[in-house]
Amino acid sequence: MPKLPINIVWFKRDLRFTDHEPLYRALEQDIPVLLVYFFEPSLIQYPDSDVRHWRFVYESLTEMQGRLEDRNGRLYLFHQEVLPVLDALTEHYSIQSMYSHEEIGNSLSYQRDKEVKVFCDLHGIQWKETPTNGVIRKLRSRKTWQKRWDERMHQPPFLVREHDWNLVHLPSILYDSLKGEEIPVDFTTRNPKFQEGGECWAWKYLQSFVQTRHQGYSKSISKPEASRRGCSRISPYLSYGNLSMRMVYTFTKQHEAQSNHRRSLQNFISRLHWHCHFIQKFEDECRMEFEAINLAYQSLEKKRNMDYIKAWEQGKTGIPLVDACMRCLVETGYINFRMRALVVSFFVFNLWQDWRDLAHFLARQFLDYEPGIHYPQIQMQAGITGVNTIRIYNPIKNSMEHDPDGIFIKKWVPELKAVPPSLLHEPWKLSEMEQKMYHVNLGQDYPFPIVDVENSRKVASEQVWAIRKTKMARQEGSRILQKHVNNPKNRKG
Ligand SMILES: Cc1cc2nc3c(=O)[nH]c(=O)nc-3n(C[C@H](O)[C@H](O)[C@H](O)COP(=O)(O)OP(=O)(O)OC[C@H]3O[C@@H](n4cnc5c(N)ncnc54)[C@H](O)[C@@H]3O)c2cc1C
């Protein structure tokens, strides 16, 4: 019996139906479409992965499933590697084409994609990948990048028709034999401390920001507490593709003209550019996952200190703002940009630890983990690009400036709850009497600082600047600017 010809849409980090080019293209054809998503054990076990990510993915998929019920369709979830399932499907179906977005993931997903490509070529399956947001694969030069980004954002979205989707229904015997083990209960159980995944939530966050919340954007963007409401919080929805960048851009532009806070929306839009700009860097030089982009900094050796690393991870460094940020991040999956930069700075400069020893830990904590932003940002904040300003954040000054009343600190470091704001930012200065008055016994309830902030800053600064001045660092710097910056003379990021 001849095999039924089908097309496949493979959902990856693009968990939506709106403005989804692969889905749109597949539904245009006169061939039934099989919708699939893979919870790949290898990716789940990779050290950058955390249950919070997969829960968000599961929530997104559940919402999509719900919408498919109206169309009498189904999105098939596999808790399996991709290739064995594709291989088995070829025994039952004649797969004509597979549609997906280009994925800019970690080294493991890159390797998997290369293997899938070989498989498709071998089986005569056309794998049609379409670009993700503003990122351009095999980009030759950055010169026209910005123009092409604008063009993509102004293209009409790919809106699929509401009804008559010609979808494949897998026989249950076949699906049961392929779907793999049950999806872990941790993935399927809601945790209210984290933002919920799905297109519907994505639009709620975007709408409330663009229609009202953006009013406080510029004022709250650097504040650890106020940013939680004042920033858009759309990052996980972009990372898992619940929203396309084009839809975010178009929607924001539509509201910009009527806003009394246009400046805020313009600042927001510039960050949408950065989103793709950073991912483009990673797309063009993905060794950044493992190596310093500026090769001169490969020689920078730091002695690993597990006590420091643990104290930092657990929010027990004795520096209240750093500790509050780390505890909040672990518990909720979010801190704002400045606080991310600050905790990285504290780790790589004050604690003098290698950026590679924080990269996976932070990836696991950020609900919005996006490899293409994560690695370039970490390297930038670690001062090892040789082209960006080296910024060593002073955690005490930042604490006084951005959490003057200690609202954020007291929330996450309750040991210091009774300490008045004037003494809170440097608790190690509390006298014994003050410790008694404010119910904190330093060294027992809350640690003394594990490093001297000022001395460690000076030592670190000398060392990173010494490398920055070498011929190799400068040569590498020029190469980086040529490769990754639109106009090297007028650069940002
Ligand atoms: C060390 C470090 C690691 C980071 N890792 C990630 C990551 O894994 N995933 C991630 O999405 N962002 C990352 N960022 C960037 C930034 O901190 C977050 O995008 C932002 O805090 C998300 O909050 P928001 O959606 O409210 O941002 P908003 O300020 O509302 O900005 C809107 C969107 O613009 C993009 N954006 C904002 N700031 C930046 C930036 N500096 N660089 C690139 N894109 C930006 C994001 O997509 C964000 O959702 C990292 C920053 C640092 C310093």
Side-chain angles (χ1 to χ4, degrees):
M1 211 168 90
K3 293 180 196 168
L4 178 73
I6 62 166
N7 286 331
I8 291 180
V9 174
W10 174 11
F11 287 93
K12 298 167 124 196
R13 293 174 73 102
D14 52 358
L15 304 177
R16 64 175 182 275
F17 289 139
T18 315
D19 195 23
H20 196 288
E21 186 175 353
L23 178 66
Y24 178 90
R25 300 264 176 238
L27 290 175
E28 263 183 345
Q29 312 299 313
D30 223 2
I31 295 179
V33 180
L34 178 66
L35 308 179
V36 297
Y37 180 87
F38 298 92
F39 285 93
E40 296 158 84
S42 54
L43 280 182
I44 293 170
Q45 278 151 27
Y46 200 70
D48 62 359
S49 138
D50 186 74
V51 61
R52 65 190 64 193
H53 304 138
W54 302 109
R55 192 189 301 119
F56 192 90
V57 166
Y58 184 79
E59 286 164 356
S60 307
L61 292 165
T62 309
E63 194 202 303
M64 291 164 81
Q65 297 275 29
R67 289 175 60 190
L68 280 174
E69 275 167 23
D70 303 340
R71 300 179 174 97
N72 190 25
R74 186 158 178 192
L75 197 172
Y76 288 92
L77 310 185
F78 297 92
H79 187 189
Q80 285 280 25
E81 301 299 338
V82 180
L83 279 181
V85 175
L86 284 185
D87 197 28
L89 286 173
T90 55
E91 288 181 17
H92 300 267
Y93 297 97
S94 166
I95 306 172
Q96 309 287 296
S97 300
M98 182 160 73
Y99 294 80
S100 73
H101 275 111
E102 288 166 351
E103 181 173 354
I104 304 108
N106 59 25
S107 63
L108 192 64
S109 64
Y110 179 50
Q111 189 53 38
R112 172 259 276 143
D113 277 355
K114 288 203 276 192
E115 288 164 17
V116 169
K117 176 79 179 91
V118 171
F119 176 90
C120 287
D121 289 348
L122 205 68
H123 289 78
I125 302 169
Q126 283 198 307
W127 185 9
K128 300 182 177 174
E129 290 184 278
T130 42
T132 295
N133 297 323
V135 182
I136 299 167
R137 192 150 274 184
K138 298 204 175 104
L139 180 70
R140 291 237 176 92
S141 152
R142 270 287 187 135
K143 283 204 177 104
T144 56
W145 187 82
Q146 189 56 52
K147 191 167 155 268
R148 290 167 76 181
W149 190 93
D150 287 335
E151 281 165 8
R152 279 202 194 162
M153 295 309 131
H154 287 100
Q155 267 174 12
F158 292 91
L159 300 178
V160 286
R161 59 179 185 268
E162 276 299 310
H163 299 286
D164 308 324
W165 291 15
N166 185 5
L167 297 179
V168 174
H169 293 262
L170 291 179
S172 20
I173 294 187
L174 177 61
Y175 179 49
D176 287 344
S177 70
L178 294 181
K179 68 180 184 193
E181 289 180 9
E182 284 300 308
I183 294 167
V185 74
D186 296 8
F187 297 6
T188 61
T189 312
R190 171 92 205 108
N191 181 337
K193 289 182 181 158
F194 294 86
Q195 286 174 269
E196 189 163 347
E199 228 177 314
C200 187
W201 279 104
W203 278 98
K204 278 190 196 161
Y205 274 90
L206 180 64
Q207 271 171 349
S208 69
F209 178 75
V210 171
Q211 289 165 355
T212 49
R213 284 191 295 121
H214 71 274
Q215 294 170 7
Y217 187 56
S218 306
K219 269 198 202 146
S220 58
I221 194 163
S222 295
K223 315 276 180 228
E225 186 60 29
S227 59
R228 303 183 79 77
R229 200 186 133 70
C231 286
S232 72
R233 309 291 306 272
I234 61 163
S235 53
Y237 303 107
L238 283 171
S239 296
Y240 288 97
N242 292 157
L243 291 168
S244 74
M245 185 57 85
R246 180 169 29 235
M247 294 305 281
V248 176
Y249 178 80
T250 312
F251 185 76
T252 311
K253 277 294 206 189
Q254 279 165 358
H255 286 77
E256 190 196 333
Q258 301 122 41
S259 169
N260 294 328
H261 297 81
R262 287 181 71 185
R263 195 63 184 269
S264 290
L265 286 183
Q266 283 158 2
N267 284 342
F268 172 70
I269 290 173
S270 67
R271 281 169 178 78
L272 303 180
H273 288 248
W274 295 1
H275 174 106
C276 298
H277 161 74
F278 278 94
I279 301 179
Q280 185 70 54
K281 281 195 201 186
F282 190 66
E283 164 71 21
D284 295 340
E285 208 161 350
C286 63
R287 64 178 182 83
M288 289 173 89
E289 185 177 344
F290 306 106
E291 290 176 358
I293 185 170
N294 186 316
L295 289 171
Y297 287 88
Q298 284 292 99
S299 61
L300 182 63
E301 280 189 14
K302 295 179 170 178
K303 201 166 158 228
R304 183 179 286 152
N305 181 328
M306 279 318 292
D307 290 338
Y308 281 179
I309 295 179
K310 259 197 215 134
W312 177 84
E313 288 179 356
Q314 293 171 357
K316 292 184 177 168
T317 66
I319 308 294
L321 184 61
V322 173
D323 293 342
C325 285
M326 294 306 293
R327 295 182 197 185
C328 170
L329 176 61
V330 170
E331 194 99 345
T332 69
Y334 179 82
I335 46 174
N336 59 323
F337 172 79
R338 180 177 272 264
M339 296 304 125
R340 293 185 198 206
L342 183 137
V343 296
V344 171
S345 162
F346 188 77
F347 186 94
V348 297
F349 296 124
N350 299 101
L351 300 183
W352 199 243
Q353 296 298 297
D354 194 296
W355 64 274
R356 277 163 287 225
D357 281 335
L358 65 63
H360 282 149
F361 178 81
L362 282 187
R364 290 197 295 275
Q365 310 312 317
F366 292 146
L367 181 64
D368 60 21
Y369 168 55
E370 171 72 65
I373 301 180
H374 192 69
Y375 289 101
Q377 272 292 354
I378 286 180
Q379 296 212 12
M380 198 165 119
Q381 304 307 334
I384 55 169
T385 64
V387 295
N388 305 102
T389 316
I390 297 175
R391 258 205 198 105
I392 306 184
Y393 288 81
N394 180 333
I396 303 158
K397 191 167 161 268
N398 271 274
S399 186
M400 291 171 174
E401 248 172 64
H402 298 298
D403 189 26
D405 302 326
I407 291 169
F408 181 73
I409 291 175
K410 290 186 182 197
K411 187 163 165 188
W412 294 103
V413 187
E415 304 94 294
L416 302 176
K417 199 163 66 202
V419 181
S422 58
L423 299 169
L424 181 70
H425 307 283
E426 298 171 289
W428 53 92
K429 291 186 176 168
L430 291 176
S431 66
E432 283 199 6
M433 204 167 79
E434 285 167 331
Q435 291 182 41
K436 281 210 177 83
M437 268 165 66
Y438 304 127
H439 315 296
V440 57
N441 187 348
L442 288 174
Q444 255 185 12
D445 304 331
Y446 187 69
F448 283 103
I450 56 174
V451 283
D452 179 314
V453 170
E454 191 43 34
N455 281 346
S456 56
R457 186 197 64 77
K458 274 191 198 134
V459 175
S461 172
E462 278 162 21
Q463 302 213 36
V464 279
W465 274 107
I467 301 183
R468 174 87 171 234
K469 287 176 189 150
T470 61
K471 193 171 166 207
M472 187 178 177
R474 281 187 279 122
Q475 277 173 348
E476 273 287 286
S478 306
R479 177 192 69 76
I480 291 165
L481 286 181
Q482 282 306 323
K483 190 175 171 77
H484 295 290
V485 178
N486 308 340
N487 177 0
K489 285 192 186 131
N490 178 21
R491 72 200 155 83
K492 254 202 187 131

